[in-house]
Amino acid sequence: MIENSFCKEAQIKLRKSAIRQYEMERNYNEDLEEEYDRYAEECEAALAQVLLSIDTLSKAIDRNGKRNPFDRVESRIKTFRSVKGKCKKKGYLLAAERIRENITDVAGIRIITKYIDEIDLVCDMLAKLPGVNVVKVKDYVRDPKPNGYQSVHLDCRGGVYDPYQGSRLLPVEIQIRSKSMNLWATLEH
């Protein structure tokens, strides 16, 4: 009888411990998601600045009557769920600092050109654009991924100003690909 009572008590303690652990993890994830949402808002401000610069560039090309290589410009902010998946896939610790250090595509822009030969032209123009600091270039056009994926990825920093934190540069990834490359990537993904 004492053994039975002891076993039941141990089972109850184990259940309570598991519930506490679950609640702690849930609270941690909720806190992390709130912190991520604040960071994503900051990255969205950098994204808006870079988009404004690209739009201004595109309009200047149009005004001069030149062939505009910008067929379409799209943007997005990565969801917390997507960032969690990327951290898991890459083996990154799911923590706010690790997200800031390792995930450089929280804010993303995709520029679609009409023709493949316009990709280098767009890359050159973006590298000279004030307010867009290109940090790293991954050229999957010249060196496609094993699955055939082609695109140029520019790891950039866009400037934002916060009256409490001052000026900062935040990551914005720009992908540049032709219409045909975009069609292939859409079908493959």
Side-chain angles (χ1 to χ4, degrees), residues 40-102:
E41 283 179 15
E42 294 171 346
C43 289
E44 191 169 18
L47 176 76
Q49 291 297 322
V50 173
L51 283 170
L52 179 62
S53 295
I54 291 169
D55 185 54
T56 302
L57 174 62
S58 179
K59 287 177 180 173
I61 294 167
D62 287 340
R63 275 193 309 275
N64 286 301
K66 303 288 183 188
R67 185 177 90 186
N68 194 333
F70 297 95
D71 186 60
R72 197 167 72 237
V73 178
E74 305 166 346
S75 65
R76 61 103 181 102
I77 296 292
K78 217 179 234 329
T79 64
F80 180 66
R81 181 178 178 187
S82 178
V83 166
K84 276 175 60 173
K86 187 167 188 173
C87 285
K88 184 177 181 180
K89 179 181 171 185
K90 299 275 189 178
Y92 302 144
L93 179 67
L94 188 61
E97 276 308 307
R98 297 297 164 260
I99 291 170
R100 283 187 178 92
E101 289 170 8
N102 297 309

Side-chain angles (χ1 to χ4, degrees), residues 68-159:
N68 194 333
F70 297 95
D71 186 60
R72 197 167 72 237
V73 178
E74 305 166 346
S75 65
R76 61 103 181 102
I77 296 292
K78 217 179 234 329
T79 64
F80 180 66
R81 181 178 178 187
S82 178
V83 166
K84 276 175 60 173
K86 187 167 188 173
C87 285
K88 184 177 181 180
K89 179 181 171 185
K90 299 275 189 178
Y92 302 144
L93 179 67
L94 188 61
E97 276 308 307
R98 297 297 164 260
I99 291 170
R100 283 187 178 92
E101 289 170 8
N102 297 309
I103 309 297
T104 58
D105 65 341
V106 169
I109 297 172
R110 180 171 297 137
I111 297 172
I112 312 296
T113 65
K114 289 182 181 87
Y115 308 104
I116 293 172
D117 64 346
E118 294 173 329
I119 293 172
D120 285 337
L121 175 65
V122 169
C123 288
D124 291 342
M125 286 191 277
L126 293 176
K128 296 172 187 167
L129 204 57
V132 179
N133 302 310
V134 179
V135 176
K136 185 177 180 181
V137 177
K138 297 177 198 165
D139 191 339
Y140 301 117
V141 174
R142 286 182 178 78
D143 187 21
K145 287 188 173 187
N147 67 356
Y149 174 82
Q150 291 184 302
S151 183
V152 174
H153 293 205
L154 303 179
D155 182 1
C156 301
R157 298 295 178 269

